[in-house]
Amino acid sequence: MRIEDRFSIAAPRDRVWQAIRSPVIVASCLPGCHDVEVISPTSYKAKISVQLGPIKADFAIDIDVISEIEFEEVRSRSRGEEGGRASSLSSENVLRLSALDAETTELHYSSDVAVVGRLGKFGLGVMKKKAESLGHDFAVAFRQKIEHAAVDK
């Protein structure tokens, strides 16, 4: 399943870059993420809860940054399992930043996601809609956090 979207943030690209490379900031904006552990500058562990219909799943996720071009692009790989291995997921992710002007940055993300197990039994349409909803919620929270940080300074 491919998930892709873009959104703009009223902040310069270097500030958005610093925030997107902070696992603590990203985790605080990610719906259902309730724990993040920095293993190294390019490896993280996270605990994420997802509700899909009547099923609530708690995943332990490993995230690895596989390459980056400073201020422009981050490529990462995520994989994890739900407790008891009822479901597992993996994703290949690309995040790109583009300066629209000196004070506005566009963030474009795409993920190729595979989900197997009990959550994988939901139809592609249901899974894609949930993933898009999570992406939208992240965009709103991330934009708010970064734009408000500019006002708070």
Side-chain angles (χ1 to χ4, degrees), residues 15-30:
R15 184 175 335 130
V16 175
W17 174 262
Q18 295 304 320
I20 208 69
R21 288 298 288 123
S22 166
V24 173
I25 291 174
V26 171
S28 72
C29 298
L30 192 61

Side-chain angles (χ1 to χ4, degrees), residues 1-5 109-113 127-128 131-132 135:
M1 164 177 60
R2 184 163 181 83
I3 307 300
E4 190 168 14
D5 204 358
Y109 64 89
S110 62
S111 295
D112 288 312
V113 181
M127 294 290 290
K128 189 165 181 135
E132 288 170 347

Side-chain angles (χ1 to χ4, degrees), residues 98-139:
S98 302
L100 299 179
D101 59 43
E103 294 299 319
T104 310
T105 303
E106 182 178 75
L107 194 150
H108 173 266
Y109 64 89
S110 62
S111 295
D112 288 312
V113 181
V115 179
V116 296
R118 70 180 184 147
L119 288 182
K121 293 177 184 173
F122 280 86
L124 179 61
V126 172
M127 294 290 290
K128 189 165 181 135
K129 186 172 183 156
K130 180 63 174 183
E132 288 170 347
S133 171
L134 293 172
H136 176 265
D137 292 349
F138 170 79

